[in-house]
């Protein structure tokens, strides 16, 4: 398959710089500028071609569980709530009851949705828990193998309910030995977050793996653990290999304190992943500290980017108790972030596009991709005249290309 491709944010046309995107014969990779004979041509004329989307933080093993869990709760005479603690406890309690077939079907549907929406690589949070053991590692390994030609999955050993449950530390070690790529953490759920972080960083050092933390998922800036993470990142020499997700405390901080947090993150090379569909839904509720007014709960990613922090916008959850409205579209997530932060300037909107393309690829340690000479030919073609229009109108995906091969 050959497609006409142009520089990021430019449309195809007679005056546009052109590269051949090629991929046939089950090639593992193809790059812009390398032409391989192919049987079909996709004409992208008049459409914008961007680097394909990369999701730096997604939970496939919780995807599309909203209805099954709501049904289970209804049978008990209970209902879902928009509360983080309830969502964690409810999913942990009821997911095993649903059975592995339901969970696997939801995960596959999530992969299909991501790919259809232009995402060709993702960092997947694999829940490690005494209730399921390493069963979800097996599910993800099978999922990754079955979809290897469509999406690349990087697996994170993720302790959703913390490390203080019996057997959790051994399970985390077992997950890394079983092939997890990244050591995950969730220190805010443990009584001793410092000990949680010590274990996570020690395990990452033992396996030479990056660290990815759910962090500061609250509206209370006094609960922030950013300084602890920055300290451990520097001590371990892991600058550029640590990502933190959610971090909604940043939205509740006074500007000067948030600026200090951004500076600490930039200096330690800590990346920030935000999840608009989840964080708007679960946080920012009226509370005493805010005078019973709701707050804008998403971490201020544009300010973080201006301070030198690598920022990514992610899906996080798809249609489950954590994010009922999560729909697997990173472009829509970027659109929502633009609305929340009033991204008036074209430069800010370009930052939002970077946050779903090149930045998350950097976080995952992936090679350069997109419509530039020599880059891996992972592309998304959008029904828009240019990059800005694609974001503002949340344009429809016309075609998705991975390693030079159009994904049907």
């Amino acid at each position: 398959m050959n497609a006409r491709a142009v520089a990021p944010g430019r449309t195809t046309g007679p005056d546009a710089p052109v590269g051949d995107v090629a991929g046939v014969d089950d090639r593992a990779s193809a790059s812009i500028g390398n032409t391989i004979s192919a049987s079909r041509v996709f004409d992208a004329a008049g459409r914008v071609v961007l680097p394909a989307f990369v999701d730096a933080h997604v939970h496939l093993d919780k995807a599309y569980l909203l209805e099954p869990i709501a049904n289970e709760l209804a049978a008990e005479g209970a209902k879902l709530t928009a509360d983080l603690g309830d969502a964690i406890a409810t999913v942990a309690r009821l997911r095993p009851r649903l059975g592995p077939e339901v969970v696997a079907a939801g995960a596959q549907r999530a992969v299909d949705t991501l790919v259809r929406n232009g995402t060709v690589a993702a960092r997947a949070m694999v829940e490690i828990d005494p209730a399921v053991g390493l069963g979800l590692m097996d599910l993800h390994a099978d999922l990754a193998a079955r979809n290897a030609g469509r999406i690349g999955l990087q697996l994170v050993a993720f302790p959703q309910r913390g490390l203080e449950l019996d057997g959790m530390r051994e399970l985390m070690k077992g997950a890394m030995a079983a092939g997890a790529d990244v050591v995950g953490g969730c220190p805010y759920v443990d009584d001793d977050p410092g000990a949680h972080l010590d274990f996570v960083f020690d395990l990452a050092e033992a396996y030479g793996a990056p660290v990815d933390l759910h962090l500061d998922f609250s509206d209370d800036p006094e609960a922030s653990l950013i300084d602890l993470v920055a300290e451990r990142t520097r001590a371990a020499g892991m600058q550029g290999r640590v990502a933190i997700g959610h971090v909604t405390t940043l939205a509740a901080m006074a500007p000067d304190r948030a600026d200090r947090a951004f500076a600490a993150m930039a200096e330690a090379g800590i990346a920030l992943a935000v999840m608009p569909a989840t964080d708007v839904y679960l946080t920012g509720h009226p509370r005493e500290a805010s005078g019973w007014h709701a707050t804008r709960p998403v971490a201020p990613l544009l300010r973080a980017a201006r301070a030198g922090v690598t920022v990514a916008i992610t899906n996080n959850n798809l249609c489950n108790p954590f994010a009922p409205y999560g729909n697997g579209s990173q472009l829509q997530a970027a659109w929502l972030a633009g609305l929340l932060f009033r991204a008036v300037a074209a430069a800010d909107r370009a930052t939002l596009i970077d946050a779903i393309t090149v930045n998350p690829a950097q976080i995952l340690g992936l090679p350069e991709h997109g419509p530039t000479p020599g880059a891996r030919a992972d592309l998304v073609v959008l029904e828009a005249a240019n990059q800005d229009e694609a974001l503002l109108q949340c344009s429809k995906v016309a075609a998705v290309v991975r390693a030079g091969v159009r994904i049907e």
Side-chain angles (χ1 to χ4, degrees):
M1 184 282 294
N2 291 336
R4 306 196 70 202
V6 299
R10 298 278 300 281
T11 53
T12 56
D15 299 323
V18 175
D20 289 329
V21 181
V24 291
D25 302 327
D26 296 322
R27 301 287 180 111
S29 65
S31 62
I32 301 295
N34 296 328
T35 302
I36 304 172
S37 61
S39 59
R40 288 180 298 167
V41 173
F42 177 81
D43 184 3
R47 302 178 178 94
V48 67
V49 182
L50 300 177
F53 304 143
V54 177
D55 194 330
H57 185 127
V58 66
H59 294 264
L60 303 176
D61 53 24
K62 294 175 180 156
Y64 295 103
L65 297 184
L66 183 68
E67 183 177 357
I69 285 179
N71 290 341
E72 292 289 332
L73 287 174
E76 299 175 350
K79 295 181 180 179
L80 290 167
T81 68
D83 177 83
L84 174 61
D86 284 354
I88 292 174
T90 299
V91 172
R93 181 172 66 87
L94 295 181
R95 181 171 50 192
R97 190 187 301 178
L98 299 177
E101 298 83 5
V102 172
V103 177
Q108 181 59 60
R109 183 179 174 189
V111 165
D112 295 342
T113 302
L114 291 176
V115 172
R116 185 172 63 250
N117 284 315
T119 298
V120 301
R123 179 174 279 183
M125 305 290 154
V126 183
E127 194 159 325
I128 309 300
D129 191 279
V132 293
L134 298 180
L136 294 175
M137 274 295 298
D138 295 335
L139 181 150
H140 280 83
D142 177 67
L143 189 71
R146 283 189 288 107
N147 294 280
R150 307 170 68 219
I151 190 169
L153 296 181
Q154 191 175 91
L155 305 185
V156 182
F158 171 56
Q160 172 74 85
R161 294 200 293 158
L163 296 171
E164 294 172 353
L165 299 173
D166 288 344
M168 267 304 301
R169 296 188 176 213
E170 291 307 311
L171 282 172
M172 286 290 290
K173 293 175 183 177
M176 295 306 297
D181 304 295
V182 181
V183 180
C186 196
Y188 57 78
V189 302
D190 278 351
D191 292 333
D192 189 343
H196 185 116
L197 290 171
D198 288 341
F199 175 83
V200 166
F201 277 87
D202 287 347
L203 188 59
E205 183 177 7
Y207 280 89
V211 166
D212 199 310
L213 302 168
H214 288 54
L215 200 76
D216 284 17
F217 201 3
S218 80
D219 303 321
D220 181 8
E222 299 308 312
S224 178
L225 300 172
I226 293 172
D227 288 341
L228 286 180
V229 174
E231 174 188 305
R232 281 159 174 76
T233 300
R234 292 191 299 268
M238 291 190 66
Q239 290 91 333
R241 303 194 73 213
V242 175
I244 55 178
H246 296 293
V247 205
T248 51
T249 55
L250 287 166
M253 289 181 184
D256 59 338
R257 182 171 178 184
D259 287 342
R260 291 195 298 272
F262 295 143
M265 292 166 61
E267 190 274 333
I270 297 171
L272 172 65
V274 302
M275 300 105 192
T278 301
D279 296 346
V280 168
Y281 181 73
L282 286 179
T283 59
H285 301 306
R287 66 193 195 286
E288 186 174 4
S290 65
W292 301 110
H293 294 288
T295 58
R296 184 170 294 170
V298 180
L301 65 101
L302 294 177
R303 286 175 55 205
R306 295 186 198 113
V309 178
T310 299
V311 297
I313 296 171
T314 78
N315 281 300
N316 188 44
N317 280 295
L318 285 71
C319 195
N320 67 17
F322 296 85
Y325 297 91
N327 65 358
S329 170
Q330 286 186 262
L331 187 60
Q332 187 175 69
W335 174 89
L336 177 55
L339 188 65
L340 287 169
F341 296 113
R342 298 171 180 157
V344 175
D348 285 342
R349 293 197 291 270
T351 296
L352 297 178
I353 291 293
D354 286 347
I356 58 175
T357 56
V358 296
N359 288 359
Q362 177 184 333
I363 292 169
L364 269 64
L366 301 178
E368 181 185 3
H369 76 287
T372 54
R376 178 181 161 104
D378 291 349
L379 311 169
V380 60
V381 183
L382 299 165
E383 297 284 3
N386 54 56
Q387 173 178 292
D388 213 36
E389 179 185 318
L391 176 64
L392 291 169
Q393 299 301 312
C394 199
S395 299
K396 180 181 177 181
V397 173
V400 183
V401 175
R402 183 167 187 257
V405 178
R406 186 182 177 191
I407 303 172
E408 302 292 347

